[in-house]
Amino acid sequence: MFLFASGADPFEVYGLIWTGAFASWFSLQNTLLRAAPLLLVALCTALPARLGLVIIGGEGAIVLGGLAAAAIGVLLVDAPYVPAMLLMAAAAMVAGAALIALAGWLRHARGVNETISSLLLTYIAVAVFNHLVEGPLRDPASLNKPSTASIGDQHMIGAIPGTDVHWGLAIGVVVCLAMAVLMRKTTFGFATRMVGGNVRAARMAGLPIGRLVIATCAMAGAAGGLAGMIEVAAIHGKANASLNTGYGFTGILVAFLARHEPSAVIPVAILFGGINAAGGLLQRRMDLPDATVLVLQGILFVVLLASETLRGRSMFGGKA
Amino acid sequence: MADDLGLWAVPVAMLGGAIRVSTPYIFVSLGECLTERSGRINLGLEGTLVLGAMGAYGISYLSGSPWLGVLVAMAAGAFLGGLHALLCGLPKVNDIAVGIALMLFGTGIAFFLGKPFVQPKAPNLPAIPLGWWIDQPELRAALEINPLFVVGILLSLALTWFLGRTRWGLILRAAGDSAEAVRAMGYSAQTMRFVATTAGGAMAGIGGAFLSLFYPGSWNEGLSSGQGLMAIALVIFARWQPIRCIWASLLFGAAGALGPSLQSVGVTWGYYLFGAAPYVLTLGIMIATCSPTRSLRGAPAELGVTR
């Protein structure tokens, strides 16, 4: 209906989304590229949700993680590949983890609502990011688009052989699966589910709720930070404003649609990667403005969320 | 003397900034206050703000009447608010997720329809110069007040009266505290929430109209930059009291004006860090006033985020 009103043939648009997202090898790769950060940042919301916490600070974790990775990467330009990569990832994860763990700690220790505090922390993180990228860490050579100095081509995450898709996607999938196992098969996962189900019962059972909350939030933040590092190390090569483009908010919705199930995050993230990827094609072929994708995404989310009401169980078989 | 205020320029600019910047916060936070009092949270108000700004600007440009633009912004806001309420009325639908989806939807539609209006100049809302008795141009400029600011203050008084003194206000507050009590009274909490969310959306739409028609007074895609989301934090800060929303908004406006006003006197270091001042302020106040053992005073009990 919306597309009709804008003078485009809806069927052609949906056809194009399909073509742009999944139909050819090229577009499939493009889809997967865009799904990679979503996989990790969705975990940033999905893991704390197991404890009954609604964290919406994924954007902040991405931005800080990317910044930390770029800063370390610049220092280590001459270091050998593997340690440099590991240090960059570690820095990004620590930065992201610190941010979200702070929200978790505030929740536990001070009773500050974690949804609002993670949102505030995101804005603070973005301000710190802008300050550092415009100021102390700015590469003087970057004139109209301020960014940090480049981490150098030798330290980029390479593509998976035979494709243009970088290894970040694989890392994302592995982390999602690992989290799914952690949440389902281990005592830690059981304890988090118990806290999420009934805090009072969990306290009776003597579970260290505070430690669980903070640990889960730290893991969530680490995943978000890692997403930022991968974006920096696999795509941009430096930290700039492209890190702050709303992946975090899309990630929240991916997490909700996956019913906070880490393994279900994988297909949902790929679906939304596809819609993002189709945006470019849509613009070129149909002469629609770039915001079309945003509108379609919004409608799709609204419809999918509303359809939750029709289901007793989740879309992907996880427990509601 | 008149053009050299020295360091006094900072507080003056902050006062002016507080009055100028706070109006959208006032409207969004009053709207959200009403919505949350009925027991629901609407994170989509960011999208509502942007759509209101775009609608107001577009209509003002096409019709030549900024006030018609304000009306259209209200209607657009009510539409998004109503949509949010309808969706959340369905069982098992999470209102935070719907809010974020509508935030994307609202901004998307605004950017989509707003493309042709980035360039042209639409007629803006007039200002009331309250500083006519002062010689200093800086002070006079700081005291140019938009009628919408006044409307916002009157609205907060009206809301206080409505929530505290009327029958429907009582039912609405009851819907926020216990849906069962409302059912026992023979009303539907669902209906109350629908009305409250729709009205809240309409108010946020007016806030958007202020952004595009008065300050900064033009339409572009970076217009709102999270103000709608901030206003939601502000409601908690204001303890769900409409009058306090005004003070909180003014404080936010002043904190937000800190960076630009320091820049105007030549302090350029840390411009972006000062931009974060309102967020740090809110977080600090929340940390100081929250406690793990009791829920927030004045918080509606049915509201998911306070549990």
Side-chain angles (χ1 to χ4, degrees), chain A:
Chain A
M1 222 155 59
F2 157 73
L3 291 164
F4 227 49
S6 60
D9 175 9
F11 294 105
E12 199 180 341
V13 171
Y14 290 124
L16 274 180
I17 291 182
W18 177 251
T19 322
F22 303 108
S24 74
W25 181 224
F26 171 79
S27 49
L28 186 62
Q29 291 189 18
N30 198 358
T31 294
L32 293 176
L33 273 182
R34 294 179 196 241
L38 288 179
L39 284 172
L40 288 166
V41 80
L43 289 179
C44 195
T45 301
L47 295 178
R50 296 262 123 183
L51 286 162
L53 300 180
V54 182
I55 294 269
I56 56 178
E59 187 88 7
I62 287 194
V63 164
L64 277 194
L67 183 68
I72 295 289
V74 171
L75 288 178
L76 295 178
V77 168
D78 300 321
Y81 185 79
V82 172
M85 277 293 140
L86 289 178
L87 275 173
M88 278 168 65
M93 286 166 72
V94 168
L99 189 80
I100 306 297
L102 183 60
W105 178 76
L106 285 175
R107 167 70 197 221
H108 179 71
R110 301 285 320 164
V112 177
N113 173 255
E114 77 286 352
T115 310
I116 306 294
S117 68
S118 62
L119 180 66
L120 293 171
L121 285 169
T122 292
Y123 281 108
I124 296 170
V126 170
V128 168
F129 175 83
N130 283 336
H131 173 69
L132 291 176
V133 169
E134 293 276 350
L137 291 180
R138 180 167 177 176
D139 176 11
S142 62
L143 292 174
N144 42 17
K145 192 174 188 187
S147 58
T148 61
S150 172
I151 59 169
D153 287 342
Q154 72 278 16
H155 283 165
M156 300 289 281
I157 296 183
I160 299 173
T163 69
D164 291 331
V165 182
H166 57 74
W167 282 105
L169 179 78
I171 298 173
V173 170
V174 168
V175 173
C176 280
L177 291 177
M179 286 299 138
V181 171
L182 179 73
M183 285 296 164
R184 251 189 238 162
K185 305 276 188 234
T186 61
T187 31
F188 178 81
F190 180 71
T192 53
R193 259 180 311 178
M194 195 161 166
V195 175
N198 186 337
V199 179
R200 206 170 297 158
R203 192 168 292 137
M204 296 279 225
L207 288 174
I209 297 174
R211 236 180 297 159
L212 280 171
V213 164
I214 295 169
T216 310
C217 285
M219 279 187 341
L226 193 60
M229 178 266 181
I230 287 173
E231 279 295 283
V232 164
I235 297 187
H236 307 301
K238 51 196 156 195
N240 59 28
S242 332
L243 275 176
N244 179 14
T245 47
Y247 271 130
F249 286 109
T250 313
I252 298 165
L253 286 160
V254 170
F256 269 101
L257 291 182
R259 298 301 286 264
H260 309 307
E261 186 65 48
S263 54
V265 162
I266 300 171
V268 180
I270 291 175
L271 175 67
F272 283 100
I275 293 171
N276 272 338
L281 188 68
L282 217 54
Q283 268 172 65
R284 268 174 278 128
R285 289 274 185 83
M286 309 284 293
D287 207 21
L288 292 169
D290 46 356
T292 315
V293 184
L294 212 53
V295 179
L296 284 178
Q297 248 186 26
I299 293 178
L300 190 66
F301 280 135
V302 168
V303 170
L304 284 177
L305 287 169
S307 67
E308 292 275 283
T309 187
L310 304 174
R311 291 166 205 276
R313 291 167 70 96
S314 103
M315 223 174 303
F316 301 102
K319 282 202 187 75

Side-chain angles (χ1 to χ4, degrees), chain B residues 190-270:
Chain B
Q190 219 49 268
T191 315
M192 287 317 292
R193 287 177 187 165
F194 176 78
V195 173
T197 315
T198 309
M203 289 178 205
I206 302 179
F210 176 89
L211 275 181
S212 62
L213 291 181
F214 186 70
Y215 184 80
S218 62
W219 158 251
N220 66 65
E221 298 188 349
L223 188 63
S224 145
S225 64
Q227 290 181 35
L229 284 170
M230 282 313 303
I232 292 158
L234 204 143
V235 175
I236 297 185
F237 178 25
R239 292 280 181 278
W240 294 272
Q241 300 282 334
I243 300 279
R244 291 200 193 167
C245 283
I246 301 276
W247 296 115
S249 302
L250 283 171
L251 192 62
F252 256 57
L258 182 65
S261 62
L262 279 177
Q263 204 180 29
S264 71
V265 293
V267 183
T268 50
W269 185 89

Side-chain angles (χ1 to χ4, degrees), chain B residues 122-148:
Chain B
N124 278 7
L125 290 169
I128 312 171
L130 282 186
W132 45 268
W133 42 274
I134 306 174
D135 312 326
Q136 281 169 341
E138 286 91 344
L139 269 176
R140 214 179 310 156
L143 285 176
E144 284 209 334
I145 287 177
N146 185 274
L148 281 180

